[in-house]
Amino acid sequence: MKISTKLNSPFLKEVGDIAHFTGRFFREISKPKQEWEEFINQCFWVGYKTLTLVGITAFIMGLVLTIQSRPTLVEFGAESLLPSMVSVSLVREISPVITALICAGKIGSGMGAELGSMRVTEQIDAMEVSGTNPFKYLVVTRVMAATIMVPILSSVGNAIALYGGYLGVNIRGQVSWHLYWFQAFNALSFGDFIPSLVKTFFFGFAIGIIGCYKGYNSQKGTEGVGRSATTAVIVASLLVFVIDLIAVQITDLLGLT
């Protein structure tokens, strides 16, 4: 009696392909003559063009969190702790993750659709024939831009969300500008800021790698372009949660919580 042990998993193949794609990225970025002009251009599109969406979302997030938290704190007679609770919740977890998910939806899908369109219209093949390195020009610049701009967007989102929290505190109460910010920052430490900032670099890298991978390897015409954009958002969003879980565990082990 023979038992077949053949392993043919599309999931494992996909993981291997992404790992190979990531390895190629590090090989290309280590080579000289980076495409700095295209990198700056991608920073503009990734950062500036996403700032408005991140800002609006962060403002509403801070406002809603404050309004929703007030009744519970009032019930326990701890309304004065509202600025501290809001600042810790936003800076540690909510603002970085929500910002990363917004970027996964906008940036990841945009990269997947753009590179997918270039692949199916054979523009990438034309670049290879002309002697240009399409991977360095298209992929490296976009991944670098996402890795750098997502932490910046998250930091700006933190500030805007905290301002939204200030308005939320004063909807049914009266807390002065100086008192609110004193309580908000007094509850925070470097152990809150540093892990929150560091993990956003990994969020940005994951979003850039997945978006570029899906688009760069797109197939089957226009249908493949749509599939690349959709799967880029799904996989990047899942990776954001996985990275966040790992970051929380590491932070806890290091005693930074």
Side-chain angles (χ1 to χ4, degrees), residues 16-33:
D17 290 342
I18 294 174
H20 182 268
F21 190 83
T22 304
R24 184 179 177 185
F25 165 80
F26 285 111
R27 288 195 301 272
E28 293 291 344
I29 200 175
S30 64
K31 297 178 181 178
K33 296 183 180 181

Side-chain angles (χ1 to χ4, degrees), residues 123-136:
Q123 295 181 51
I124 295 178
D125 297 331
M127 293 177 68
E128 293 175 344
V129 172
S130 64
T132 305
N133 186 343
F135 195 95
K136 181 180 285 290

Side-chain angles (χ1 to χ4, degrees), residues 89-224:
S89 300
L90 288 173
V91 171
R92 277 190 179 183
E93 187 66 23
I94 298 177
S95 185
V97 173
I98 296 299
T99 300
L101 292 177
I102 293 172
C103 292
K106 187 178 185 301
I107 299 171
S109 63
M111 290 180 178
E114 184 180 8
L115 295 186
S117 298
M118 296 182 70
R119 171 62 73 183
V120 299
T121 56
E122 300 182 351
Q123 295 181 51
I124 295 178
D125 297 331
M127 293 177 68
E128 293 175 344
V129 172
S130 64
T132 305
N133 186 343
F135 195 95
K136 181 180 285 290
Y137 185 82
L138 298 175
V139 176
V140 173
T141 54
R142 284 166 171 77
V143 176
M144 287 174 58
T147 304
I148 292 175
M149 296 311 297
V150 170
I152 295 176
L153 289 171
S154 177
S155 299
V156 174
N158 275 332
I160 297 175
L162 289 173
Y163 177 72
Y166 167 75
L167 295 181
V169 168
N170 283 276
I171 287 180
R172 293 187 178 180
Q174 187 173 0
V175 179
S176 68
W177 174 267
H178 296 289
L179 179 59
Y180 172 81
W181 290 106
F182 173 79
Q183 291 180 334
F185 283 105
N186 190 52
L188 297 171
S189 64
F190 283 107
D192 299 314
F193 282 108
I194 301 303
S196 173
L197 180 63
V198 169
K199 68 183 179 182
T200 54
F201 283 96
F202 291 95
F203 290 162
F205 178 78
I207 292 168
I209 279 289
I210 296 300
C212 290
Y213 166 77
K214 291 295 183 180
Y216 200 82
N217 296 283
S218 180
Q219 298 175 351
K220 299 181 180 179
T222 55
E223 180 185 354

Side-chain angles (χ1 to χ4, degrees), residues 4 11 17 25 35 70 88 92 110 133 190 225 228 240 246:
S4 176
F11 172 76
D17 290 342
F25 165 80
E35 301 287 347
R70 175 188 289 277
V88 172
R92 277 190 179 183
N133 186 343
F190 283 107
V225 175
S228 297
V240 165
I246 295 173

Side-chain angles (χ1 to χ4, degrees), residues 228-241:
S228 297
T230 302
T231 54
V233 175
I234 296 172
V235 177
S237 299
L238 289 174
L239 272 181
V240 165
F241 287 115

